[in-house]
Amino acid sequence: MGRPRKAPDERRIEGNPGKRAIPVDVFTPEGAPFVPEHLHDDAQACAEHIIRTFKTKHLTAPDSYALAAFATAWAWHKAAAHAMNAPDFEPIVQGSKGPIANPWFKILDAQARVMLAYAPKLYLTPADRASLVGAGQEKPKSKFDGLLGLSGSSPSLSS
């Protein structure tokens, strides 16, 4: 699968050493993110908390679906953690073929993986939020801009 592609704005900020064409942003979704009504109470609380504390405008209405998936995974992760913290929790249980690890371990691990998959898409980790710094800023003007009567950052000269 590989690494996810960087947004065109992020590629412009970092520079373009390979000189490959950077696609133009065609679609910028609008609207504030929302919390779907069908979510469990814990998942709704998680989604509302993320929306309330997220100060940038990078989450929009279409991101609500990824947010719902993240919040649902968080709610199940919380349920697994509570079950595993119970005084009568047994880490090894009897399965049909003998002793096995308690199924709550599998649920906890699976939901943690889902949350880790969605976290970068929602800018929930410090590294992802750091990639947003400067996204709205203009590129600094070059001291050579305007030299020879040309404007722009990289004029193509032919000999």
Side-chain angles (χ1 to χ4, degrees):
M1 226 169 90
R3 227 179 352 183
R5 289 180 170 234
K6 292 181 180 178
D9 287 340
E10 190 175 347
R11 288 178 57 193
R12 282 186 206 94
I13 290 169
E14 292 177 354
N16 191 9
K19 305 296 185 220
R20 292 184 188 95
I22 297 176
V24 178
D25 289 333
V26 179
F27 175 68
T28 302
E30 294 181 6
F34 60 90
V35 179
E37 297 173 3
H38 71 279
L39 296 181
H40 183 270
D41 291 341
D42 283 340
Q44 282 187 353
C46 175
E48 288 169 0
H49 178 74
I50 291 170
I51 290 171
R52 187 174 54 249
T53 58
F54 211 79
K55 293 182 171 55
T56 65
K57 302 285 184 191
H58 289 280
L59 291 182
T60 59
D63 297 318
S64 300
Y65 306 105
L67 182 60
F70 177 89
T72 300
W74 180 84
W76 277 107
H77 188 274
K78 177 184 173 186
H82 280 295
M84 294 170 78
N85 287 329
D88 60 341
F89 178 76
E90 294 291 330
I92 305 294
V93 294
Q94 193 62 30
S96 61
K97 296 181 181 179
I100 60 168
N102 194 310
W104 281 115
F105 284 111
K106 188 174 183 178
I107 293 170
L108 187 81
D109 181 57
Q111 299 314 310
R113 290 175 191 271
V114 170
M115 289 188 306
L116 288 173
Y118 279 102
K121 296 170 186 350
L122 298 169
Y123 304 101
L124 296 179
T125 65
D128 299 318
R129 288 190 298 274
S131 72
L132 295 174
V133 174
Q137 298 173 348
E138 279 189 36
K139 190 174 180 181
K141 193 171 184 177
S142 169
K143 66 180 180 180
F144 300 111
D145 200 22
L147 188 64
L148 301 174
L150 299 172
S151 63
S153 57
S154 59
S156 59
L157 300 173
S158 57
S159 345

